[in-house]
Amino acid sequence: EAGVAQSPRYKIIEKRQSVAFWCNPISGHATLYWYQQILGQGPKLLIQFQNNGVVDDSQLPKDRFSAERLKGVDSTLKIQPAKLEDSAVYLCASSLPNGNTIYFGEGSWLTVV
Amino acid sequence: AQSVTQLGSHVSVSEGALVLLRCNYSSSVPPYLFWYVQYPNQGLQLLLKYTSAATLVKGINGFEAEFKKSETSFHLTKPSAHMSDAAEYFCAVSGSSNTGKLIFGQGTTLQVKP
């Protein structure tokens, strides 16, 4: 069974530039999550989708972050404009609707300089 | 609200020694509890989970954890450490609404010395 796929794996951008990350969840997983993991910290949920609807985006900095999940499968997370403090690993994860087991991708590493 | 505290950001053990990584949680509802492992430059891999069945949970790679409600703890153990166990370990609790949202601790880095 294929896991959660993410791209790009690594990205370096200058502050005030924009960046987009893509995620393809495990087939059949209706729930998709984006987590932000800053170095030395545990992951923090940014946004959760159920199919193509948003369940929780309470910790998403909406002035600069946006995410969409068109057609209820793939998802894109965008940051514009990026700040230095956005340097982190962005983890995509997916699960079946009961959410008991969440499977993570390998992450997209962002460095903002 | 729910929260997780992992005691000790770094733990160092000798190869073959007991591994004990501590996790305490706070939850106003019966929790689901998880341990994840993260190897360098990789994503999170589920080690084990507690979902209100048996209090002693066995996971992959010889790890196990015991849910103790009276102590609000979910410590991770392994009888004999292997060099390949060196990684970062995260304890997590599911959100109170059971939407699947995970709340993570700060993580514990396990070092295994030869």
Side-chain angles (χ1 to χ4, degrees):
Chain A
E1 178 182 274
V4 177
Q6 292 188 244
S7 67
R9 286 295 316 277
Y10 305 94
K11 191 75 174 179
I12 301 174
I13 62 172
E14 295 182 349
K15 58 184 179 183
R16 292 188 289 274
Q17 286 187 325
S18 64
V19 63
F21 300 113
W22 172 84
C23 173
N24 180 244
I26 293 172
S27 177
H29 282 193
T31 308
L32 185 147
Y33 314 79
W34 284 101
Y35 282 81
Q36 179 192 56
Q37 185 180 13
I38 294 173
L39 186 64
Q41 299 181 18
K44 180 186 79 173
L45 180 70
L46 291 176
I47 189 167
Q48 177 184 346
F49 291 95
Q50 180 78 13
N51 295 306
N52 59 353
V54 176
V55 174
D56 184 347
D57 64 355
S58 57
Q59 298 196 83
L60 185 74
K62 298 180 183 65
D63 58 333
R64 298 182 299 105
F65 286 66
S66 65
E68 61 181 10
R69 191 182 185 198
L70 301 176
K71 300 181 181 178
V73 182
D74 294 2
S75 177
T76 301
L77 176 70
K78 297 180 182 178
I79 307 173
Q80 181 179 15
K83 292 185 175 181
L84 296 177
E85 58 261 37
D86 298 332
S87 295
V89 181
Y90 291 87
L91 295 164
C92 181
S94 70
S95 71
L96 292 170
N98 67 9
N100 283 353
T101 301
I102 297 177
Y103 298 88
F104 285 82
E106 293 193 321
S108 291
W109 297 68
L110 174 65
T111 301
V112 182
V113 298
Chain B
Q2 297 185 312
S3 65
V4 170
T5 302
Q6 292 184 239
L7 301 175
S9 58
H10 288 85
V11 170
S12 182
V13 300
S14 298
E15 190 173 21
L18 171 72
V19 175
L20 171 61
L21 304 182
R22 300 178 186 273
C23 172
N24 287 89
Y25 70 92
S26 173
S27 177
S28 56
V29 297
Y32 292 115
L33 293 159
F34 305 81
W35 276 100
Y36 281 85
V37 61
Q38 187 175 37
Y39 297 102
N41 298 325
Q42 295 187 26
L44 298 167
Q45 180 182 3
L46 180 67
L47 275 178
L48 50 81
K49 61 181 180 180
Y50 167 76
T51 57
S52 75
T55 56
L56 182 62
V57 181
K58 294 186 182 299
I60 62 171
N61 302 338
F63 285 94
E64 63 181 37
E66 186 172 9
F67 172 70
K68 292 186 177 180
K69 184 178 179 180
S70 61
E71 299 177 6
T72 62
S73 69
F74 190 57
H75 302 331
L76 182 70
T77 61
K78 182 174 181 178
S80 176
H82 192 272
M83 296 296 292
S84 60
D85 295 327
E88 183 130 27
Y89 292 79
F90 292 95
C91 182
V93 63
S94 68
S96 58
S97 61
N98 195 28
T99 62
K101 171 183 176 179
L102 291 174
I103 298 168
F104 285 88
Q106 294 287 84
T108 297
T109 301
L110 176 65
Q111 180 188 23
V112 182
K113 298 177 291 186

